[in-house]
Amino acid sequence: MKDTYNLLVETDFPSIKRAALETLQVNLGYLCNQQCLHCHVDASPRRKEIMTEKTINDVLAFIRRNEIKVLDLTGGAPEMNPHFFELVTKARGLGAHVIDRCNLTILSEPGYEEVAAFLAQQKVEVIASMPCYLEDNVDAQRGKGVFDDSIQGLKLLNEYGYGKNEELLLNLVYNPQGTSLPPAQDELELAYKKELQQRFSIVFNHLYTITNMPIKRFGSTLVSKGLFHDYMQLLKTSYSPANLSGVMCRSTLSVDWQGYLYDCDFNQMLSVPAGMSAKKTHLNDIGRDDLCGRQIAIMDHCYGCTAGSGSSCGGAIV
């Protein structure tokens, strides 16, 4: 895989600083039951990096100590971490709103049949990857048969009340198929709801559009096809200053599987520590009050979050 770090490190992106910390986004490991073309984590069934029980307890201590409002769990497939149930249960007990970034197909994998029921019991918000409502497009990006398994996953979540009960939020994520920016989020959400309702009787709350980042697997593909510089030019010419105040790194802190801190999930994948620091900081060694006002580490990929309508883990910014 071709590394894009050296192509991104020099940047003219505006400097930004942290606001108050609201969300702790924790990567529970890079192990996944899928291997998607757009994945910025380079997750796959072959990855061995998994957060240990000790680090899970460090995360819980950080939540308790800093009164974190939102715990956002990602991976890989976060449900494949053997301590997933324990972490969710204890975090909910601390009063945190928990988000599970679910690829949907994990819900039907052997050994994970109880995950959907558990998520509903704990009132966990599910943000599910669903890059299109057309089978060919989904399977091209995520693998043959993924569309059908994803539809079954959505139906299962609907059976438990997701998308119907106001306490059980089900939001979907769209990623472009190639080197384009996402279309208007509101319009695409209406199209998704119409197609999924009419064809499969599936309901959900909202659709989030997220720009593909030129790093890891997607970035490597761009380099291999000679499209990297064209894509970066698209991101830069589409830059909107109005998006800068809403970028997720201002209120979200990213934690890797070993407990080290980054300003965002993308910086984590590039091994760029939080706060422009030359040395990684562990979550045991810092508090939320230490973070507010700190400089955020920036590189050229940051244009991906501010291009067009903007892009964050909660979808479009504008």
Side-chain angles (χ1 to χ4, degrees), residues 112-131:
Y112 298 93
E113 297 90 347
E114 303 302 318
V115 169
F118 171 77
L119 295 174
Q121 178 192 32
Q122 294 294 324
K123 296 181 172 59
V124 173
E125 177 182 349
V126 174
I127 299 182
S129 180
M130 190 68 178

PDB file of all heavy atoms in Angstrom, residues 112-131:
ATOM      1  N   TYR A 112     -21.955 -13.241  16.681  1.00  0.00           N
ATOM      2  CA  TYR A 112     -22.359 -11.857  16.930  1.00  0.00           C
ATOM      3  C   TYR A 112     -23.872 -11.661  16.801  1.00  0.00           C
ATOM      4  O   TYR A 112     -24.352 -10.541  16.678  1.00  0.00           O
ATOM      5  CB  TYR A 112     -21.620 -10.911  15.967  1.00  0.00           C
ATOM      6  CG  TYR A 112     -20.129 -10.954  16.142  1.00  0.00           C
ATOM      7  CD1 TYR A 112     -19.346 -11.813  15.377  1.00  0.00           C
ATOM      8  CD2 TYR A 112     -19.489 -10.162  17.098  1.00  0.00           C
ATOM      9  CE1 TYR A 112     -17.967 -11.884  15.546  1.00  0.00           C
ATOM     10  CE2 TYR A 112     -18.113 -10.230  17.283  1.00  0.00           C
ATOM     11  CZ  TYR A 112     -17.363 -11.091  16.504  1.00  0.00           C
ATOM     12  OH  TYR A 112     -16.008 -11.160  16.684  1.00  0.00           O
ATOM     13  N   GLU A 113     -24.606 -12.761  16.889  1.00  0.00           N
ATOM     14  CA  GLU A 113     -26.061 -12.698  16.699  1.00  0.00           C
ATOM     15  C   GLU A 113     -26.767 -11.910  17.802  1.00  0.00           C
ATOM     16  O   GLU A 113     -27.896 -11.450  17.593  1.00  0.00           O
ATOM     17  CB  GLU A 113     -26.643 -14.119  16.618  1.00  0.00           C
ATOM     18  CG  GLU A 113     -26.161 -14.951  15.437  1.00  0.00           C
ATOM     19  CD  GLU A 113     -24.905 -15.762  15.760  1.00  0.00           C
ATOM     20  OE1 GLU A 113     -24.274 -15.490  16.819  1.00  0.00           O
ATOM     21  OE2 GLU A 113     -24.561 -16.659  14.966  1.00  0.00           O
ATOM     22  N   GLU A 114     -26.131 -11.755  18.954  1.00  0.00           N
ATOM     23  CA  GLU A 114     -26.779 -11.062  20.072  1.00  0.00           C
ATOM     24  C   GLU A 114     -26.483  -9.559  20.105  1.00  0.00           C
ATOM     25  O   GLU A 114     -26.983  -8.841  20.975  1.00  0.00           O
ATOM     26  CB  GLU A 114     -26.317 -11.686  21.404  1.00  0.00           C
ATOM     27  CG  GLU A 114     -26.577 -13.176  21.527  1.00  0.00           C
ATOM     28  CD  GLU A 114     -28.056 -13.520  21.366  1.00  0.00           C
ATOM     29  OE1 GLU A 114     -28.891 -12.777  21.929  1.00  0.00           O
ATOM     30  OE2 GLU A 114     -28.354 -14.516  20.682  1.00  0.00           O
ATOM     31  N   VAL A 115     -25.671  -9.091  19.179  1.00  0.00           N
ATOM     32  CA  VAL A 115     -25.242  -7.693  19.217  1.00  0.00           C
ATOM     33  C   VAL A 115     -26.414  -6.736  19.059  1.00  0.00           C
ATOM     34  O   VAL A 115     -26.550  -5.752  19.805  1.00  0.00           O
ATOM     35  CB  VAL A 115     -24.172  -7.416  18.137  1.00  0.00           C
ATOM     36  CG1 VAL A 115     -23.929  -5.916  17.992  1.00  0.00           C
ATOM     37  CG2 VAL A 115     -22.870  -8.125  18.485  1.00  0.00           C
ATOM     38  N   ALA A 116     -27.297  -6.979  18.089  1.00  0.00           N
ATOM     39  CA  ALA A 116     -28.416  -6.062  17.823  1.00  0.00           C
ATOM     40  C   ALA A 116     -29.310  -5.915  19.051  1.00  0.00           C
ATOM     41  O   ALA A 116     -29.695  -4.797  19.427  1.00  0.00           O
ATOM     42  CB  ALA A 116     -29.223  -6.540  16.621  1.00  0.00           C
ATOM     43  N   ALA A 117     -29.631  -7.019  19.685  1.00  0.00           N
ATOM     44  CA  ALA A 117     -30.477  -6.977  20.882  1.00  0.00           C
ATOM     45  C   ALA A 117     -29.781  -6.221  22.014  1.00  0.00           C
ATOM     46  O   ALA A 117     -30.416  -5.447  22.742  1.00  0.00           O
ATOM     47  CB  ALA A 117     -30.822  -8.399  21.328  1.00  0.00           C
ATOM     48  N   PHE A 118     -28.480  -6.437  22.152  1.00  0.00           N
ATOM     49  CA  PHE A 118     -27.714  -5.746  23.183  1.00  0.00           C
ATOM     50  C   PHE A 118     -27.706  -4.235  22.947  1.00  0.00           C
ATOM     51  O   PHE A 118     -27.895  -3.442  23.886  1.00  0.00           O
ATOM     52  CB  PHE A 118     -26.281  -6.283  23.212  1.00  0.00           C
ATOM     53  CG  PHE A 118     -25.350  -5.494  24.086  1.00  0.00           C
ATOM     54  CD1 PHE A 118     -25.386  -5.623  25.466  1.00  0.00           C
ATOM     55  CD2 PHE A 118     -24.437  -4.605  23.529  1.00  0.00           C
ATOM     56  CE1 PHE A 118     -24.539  -4.882  26.280  1.00  0.00           C
ATOM     57  CE2 PHE A 118     -23.583  -3.866  24.328  1.00  0.00           C
ATOM     58  CZ  PHE A 118     -23.638  -4.002  25.709  1.00  0.00           C
ATOM     59  N   LEU A 119     -27.499  -3.820  21.712  1.00  0.00           N
ATOM     60  CA  LEU A 119     -27.480  -2.398  21.384  1.00  0.00           C
ATOM     61  C   LEU A 119     -28.812  -1.737  21.730  1.00  0.00           C
ATOM     62  O   LEU A 119     -28.849  -0.641  22.299  1.00  0.00           O
ATOM     63  CB  LEU A 119     -27.171  -2.198  19.898  1.00  0.00           C
ATOM     64  CG  LEU A 119     -25.778  -2.638  19.428  1.00  0.00           C
ATOM     65  CD1 LEU A 119     -25.672  -2.520  17.910  1.00  0.00           C
ATOM     66  CD2 LEU A 119     -24.684  -1.823  20.102  1.00  0.00           C
ATOM     67  N   ALA A 120     -29.890  -2.429  21.417  1.00  0.00           N
ATOM     68  CA  ALA A 120     -31.222  -1.888  21.725  1.00  0.00           C
ATOM     69  C   ALA A 120     -31.440  -1.812  23.240  1.00  0.00           C
ATOM     70  O   ALA A 120     -31.981  -0.827  23.748  1.00  0.00           O
ATOM     71  CB  ALA A 120     -32.288  -2.748  21.058  1.00  0.00           C
ATOM     72  N   GLN A 121     -31.026  -2.852  23.951  1.00  0.00           N
ATOM     73  CA  GLN A 121     -31.190  -2.876  25.399  1.00  0.00           C
ATOM     74  C   GLN A 121     -30.458  -1.707  26.056  1.00  0.00           C
ATOM     75  O   GLN A 121     -30.969  -1.075  26.994  1.00  0.00           O
ATOM     76  CB  GLN A 121     -30.657  -4.194  25.956  1.00  0.00           C
ATOM     77  CG  GLN A 121     -30.736  -4.307  27.471  1.00  0.00           C
ATOM     78  CD  GLN A 121     -29.948  -5.492  28.003  1.00  0.00           C
ATOM     79  OE1 GLN A 121     -28.933  -5.875  27.437  1.00  0.00           O
ATOM     80  NE2 GLN A 121     -30.424  -6.079  29.087  1.00  0.00           N
ATOM     81  N   GLN A 122     -29.273  -1.384  25.550  1.00  0.00           N
ATOM     82  CA  GLN A 122     -28.447  -0.314  26.118  1.00  0.00           C
ATOM     83  C   GLN A 122     -28.771   1.057  25.526  1.00  0.00           C
ATOM     84  O   GLN A 122     -28.170   2.053  25.918  1.00  0.00           O
ATOM     85  CB  GLN A 122     -26.965  -0.634  25.907  1.00  0.00           C
ATOM     86  CG  GLN A 122     -26.472  -1.854  26.660  1.00  0.00           C
ATOM     87  CD  GLN A 122     -26.498  -1.655  28.166  1.00  0.00           C
ATOM     88  OE1 GLN A 122     -26.239  -0.565  28.672  1.00  0.00           O
ATOM     89  NE2 GLN A 122     -26.814  -2.722  28.912  1.00  0.00           N
ATOM     90  N   LYS A 123     -29.711   1.093  24.585  1.00  0.00           N
ATOM     91  CA  LYS A 123     -30.097   2.341  23.908  1.00  0.00           C
ATOM     92  C   LYS A 123     -28.884   3.027  23.267  1.00  0.00           C
ATOM     93  O   LYS A 123     -28.669   4.240  23.391  1.00  0.00           O
ATOM     94  CB  LYS A 123     -30.813   3.287  24.874  1.00  0.00           C
ATOM     95  CG  LYS A 123     -32.137   2.741  25.384  1.00  0.00           C
ATOM     96  CD  LYS A 123     -32.825   3.722  26.316  1.00  0.00           C
ATOM     97  CE  LYS A 123     -34.232   3.258  26.678  1.00  0.00           C
ATOM     98  NZ  LYS A 123     -34.258   1.936  27.338  1.00  0.00           N
ATOM     99  N   VAL A 124     -28.105   2.229  22.563  1.00  0.00           N
ATOM    100  CA  VAL A 124     -26.928   2.715  21.859  1.00  0.00           C
ATOM    101  C   VAL A 124     -27.349   3.272  20.503  1.00  0.00           C
ATOM    102  O   VAL A 124     -28.113   2.633  19.763  1.00  0.00           O
ATOM    103  CB  VAL A 124     -25.905   1.576  21.656  1.00  0.00           C
ATOM    104  CG1 VAL A 124     -24.743   2.022  20.770  1.00  0.00           C
ATOM    105  CG2 VAL A 124     -25.392   1.081  23.004  1.00  0.00           C
ATOM    106  N   GLU A 125     -26.880   4.458  20.172  1.00  0.00           N
ATOM    107  CA  GLU A 125     -27.121   5.005  18.840  1.00  0.00           C
ATOM    108  C   GLU A 125     -26.283   4.234  17.827  1.00  0.00           C
ATOM    109  O   GLU A 125     -25.085   4.008  18.046  1.00  0.00           O
ATOM    110  CB  GLU A 125     -26.754   6.485  18.787  1.00  0.00           C
ATOM    111  CG  GLU A 125     -26.903   7.102  17.407  1.00  0.00           C
ATOM    112  CD  GLU A 125     -26.493   8.555  17.342  1.00  0.00           C
ATOM    113  OE1 GLU A 125     -26.275   9.165  18.423  1.00  0.00           O
ATOM    114  OE2 GLU A 125     -26.361   9.093  16.215  1.00  0.00           O
ATOM    115  N   VAL A 126     -26.894   3.829  16.729  1.00  0.00           N
ATOM    116  CA  VAL A 126     -26.184   3.103  15.683  1.00  0.00           C
ATOM    117  C   VAL A 126     -25.977   4.025  14.483  1.00  0.00           C
ATOM    118  O   VAL A 126     -26.944   4.577  13.947  1.00  0.00           O
ATOM    119  CB  VAL A 126     -26.942   1.835  15.254  1.00  0.00           C
ATOM    120  CG1 VAL A 126     -26.239   1.171  14.059  1.00  0.00           C
ATOM    121  CG2 VAL A 126     -27.047   0.847  16.416  1.00  0.00           C
ATOM    122  N   ILE A 127     -24.725   4.181  14.087  1.00  0.00           N
ATOM    123  CA  ILE A 127     -24.395   4.878  12.845  1.00  0.00           C
ATOM    124  C   ILE A 127     -23.810   3.831  11.912  1.00  0.00           C
ATOM    125  O   ILE A 127     -22.733   3.294  12.169  1.00  0.00           O
ATOM    126  CB  ILE A 127     -23.409   6.034  13.090  1.00  0.00           C
ATOM    127  CG1 ILE A 127     -24.034   7.061  14.035  1.00  0.00           C
ATOM    128  CG2 ILE A 127     -23.010   6.684  11.766  1.00  0.00           C
ATOM    129  CD1 ILE A 127     -23.150   8.269  14.303  1.00  0.00           C
ATOM    130  N   ALA A 128     -24.555   3.523  10.860  1.00  0.00           N
ATOM    131  CA  ALA A 128     -24.252   2.366  10.026  1.00  0.00           C
ATOM    132  C   ALA A 128     -23.791   2.773   8.634  1.00  0.00           C
ATOM    133  O   ALA A 128     -24.373   3.657   8.003  1.00  0.00           O
ATOM    134  CB  ALA A 128     -25.492   1.470   9.921  1.00  0.00           C
ATOM    135  N   SER A 129     -22.755   2.112   8.164  1.00  0.00           N
ATOM    136  CA  SER A 129     -22.238   2.373   6.823  1.00  0.00           C
ATOM    137  C   SER A 129     -23.166   1.782   5.773  1.00  0.00           C
ATOM    138  O   SER A 129     -23.449   0.585   5.770  1.00  0.00           O
ATOM    139  CB  SER A 129     -20.832   1.772   6.687  1.00  0.00           C
ATOM    140  OG  SER A 129     -20.315   2.007   5.400  1.00  0.00           O
ATOM    141  N   MET A 130     -23.636   2.632   4.865  1.00  0.00           N
ATOM    142  CA  MET A 130     -24.509   2.194   3.765  1.00  0.00           C
ATOM    143  C   MET A 130     -24.240   3.113   2.578  1.00  0.00           C
ATOM    144  O   MET A 130     -24.962   4.082   2.348  1.00  0.00           O
ATOM    145  CB  MET A 130     -25.971   2.261   4.198  1.00  0.00           C
ATOM    146  CG  MET A 130     -26.945   1.601   3.218  1.00  0.00           C
ATOM    147  SD  MET A 130     -26.708  -0.200   3.186  1.00  0.00           S
ATOM    148  CE  MET A 130     -27.994  -0.671   2.021  1.00  0.00           C
ATOM    149  N   PRO A 131     -23.154   2.860   1.824  1.00  0.00           N
ATOM    150  CA  PRO A 131     -22.693   3.811   0.820  1.00  0.00           C
ATOM    151  C   PRO A 131     -23.613   4.024  -0.374  1.00  0.00           C
ATOM    152  O   PRO A 131     -23.374   4.942  -1.162  1.00  0.00           O
ATOM    153  CB  PRO A 131     -21.346   3.225   0.370  1.00  0.00           C
ATOM    154  CG  PRO A 131     -21.414   1.783   0.721  1.00  0.00           C
ATOM    155  CD  PRO A 131     -22.268   1.691   1.935  1.00  0.00           C
TER     156      PRO A 131
END
